[in-house]
Amino acid sequence: MLLGVNIDHVATLRNARGEGDPCVFEAAKICINAGANGITTHLREDRRHIKDYDVYEIKNKLNCKLNLEMAVTDEMQKIALDIVPESCCIVPERRQEITTEGGLDVFSQKDKIKNFIAPLIDRGIKVSLFIDPEDKQIEASYYTGAKFIELHTGSYSRAYNTETEEKEFKKLYNSAVKAQQLGITVNAGHGLNYKNVHRMHEIPNLYELNIGHSIISRALFIGLDSAVKEMNNLII
Ligand code: PXP
């Protein structure tokens, strides 16, 4: 499995002081040099962490795979078409949430999502839809023409080591298999950490994991380079 490191929380820390430290671009460079396959950034509508210039700087100055997480808005579509990252992950966004709480409801807005992602796909961007592990969301994702999905692992991550772990894990497993049968490449992410990530190996052919909070947190104690390497060793 490949590792995409989500560096939003480096920006969260930088923005706490409103100055330049820690440098988001430098963090991205360290992650790539440590063996990460790519960098993931979520450019939120309210710009609470990643700012536009972070995304442009990574895209223009770092020779790496950039995965841009973004909401279904005209503004974000315009930015994505200007930056042309290797991939875009379409996520739901609510201003009040602390982090992306649930998956994108593709089922209820199939045609809207289909029309939204079409120009991105036409520009050669790999578009993935961040969805909960539910049959109806997978079927709807297939309908939109998306060739990638990212399964929301938040419920599994929270359930890890509790009596509902198995139930949540099975949802991920079954959803991944179903999507793959439809020819969709399956990524996963959200809430994955050094303890719970190992079960992702039980899911056949998962392509990429996008992990942020646990890596950036661990980096405070052992450094970013080591935190990325440690995670990579667990998922490779
Ligand atoms: N994937 C998506 C689509 C996300 O929105 C996030 C959180 O920004 C992540 C992965 C990473 O989640 P975490 O920070 O919990 O590892």
Side-chain angles (χ1 to χ4, degrees):
M1 283 178 288
L2 302 175
L3 172 63
V5 180
N6 181 317
I7 55 168
D8 293 349
H9 294 311
V10 177
T12 303
L13 191 57
R14 175 197 60 194
N15 299 349
R17 270 291 166 100
E19 294 176 18
D21 281 332
C23 173
V24 169
F25 177 70
E26 194 58 31
K29 229 163 69 180
I30 291 171
C31 293
I32 294 301
N33 289 338
N37 177 252
I39 297 298
T40 292
T41 57
H42 184 176
L43 187 63
R44 293 187 80 103
E45 199 188 351
D46 62 8
R47 307 302 197 271
R48 72 169 76 146
H49 38 56
I50 292 292
K51 311 279 188 199
D52 299 54
Y53 63 81
D54 294 317
V55 189
Y56 280 92
E57 196 176 18
I58 293 166
K59 166 70 185 174
N60 294 333
K61 296 211 256 163
L62 197 61
N63 188 20
C64 76
K65 180 191 165 203
L66 172 65
N67 176 36
L68 179 65
E69 289 179 8
M70 53 184 255
V72 186
T73 66
D74 291 344
E75 184 200 18
M76 287 302 149
Q77 190 191 53
K78 203 162 150 243
I79 291 172
L81 289 172
D82 186 44
I83 294 177
V84 193
E86 178 162 333
S87 59
C88 281
C89 182
I90 313 300
V91 300
E93 204 172 289
R94 286 194 301 116
R95 281 197 175 227
Q96 310 86 320
E97 69 190 357
I98 292 173
T99 180
T100 315
E101 282 166 2
L104 183 69
D105 185 1
V106 184
F107 178 77
S108 307
Q109 40 179 352
K110 286 197 231 13
D111 286 305
K112 181 179 173 187
I113 303 286
K114 186 177 181 188
N115 294 333
F116 181 80
I117 66 175
L120 303 173
I121 294 173
D122 284 348
R123 280 296 288 275
I125 301 170
K126 293 173 182 153
V127 174
S128 127
L129 305 178
F130 184 53
I131 57 169
D132 289 325
E134 295 170 3
D135 282 359
K136 67 176 188 180
Q137 298 298 349
I138 290 160
E139 283 152 15
S141 298
Y142 178 71
Y143 172 86
T144 67
K147 298 282 181 273
F148 294 78
I149 56 167
E150 181 171 323
L151 290 176
H152 195 313
T153 49
S155 297
Y156 157 74
S157 298
R158 272 192 304 278
Y160 184 74
N161 246 344
T162 73
E163 59 191 19
T164 55
E165 174 184 333
E166 216 43 52
K167 182 176 129 227
E168 295 301 335
F169 177 77
K170 280 216 174 86
K171 283 190 205 164
L172 290 174
Y173 184 100
N174 293 337
S175 296
V177 170
K178 183 178 174 73
Q180 287 161 355
Q181 281 166 353
L182 293 170
I184 297 173
T185 301
V186 182
N187 300 329
H190 209 283
L192 294 174
N193 61 35
Y194 295 84
K195 292 194 173 114
N196 64 29
V197 77
H198 67 95
R199 293 209 69 184
M200 297 302 108
H201 286 290
E202 296 174 41
I203 302 175
N205 302 315
L206 270 191
Y207 183 66
E208 181 180 83
L209 302 180
N210 284 300
I211 307 181
H213 190 261
S214 62
I215 293 177
I216 304 305
S217 302
R218 182 103 179 104
L220 289 175
F221 299 109
I222 65 168
L224 186 53
D225 173 84
S226 300
V228 171
K229 285 181 178 155
E230 230 178 59
M231 185 58 85
N232 229 354
N233 286 337
L234 293 174
I235 71 171
I236 265 170

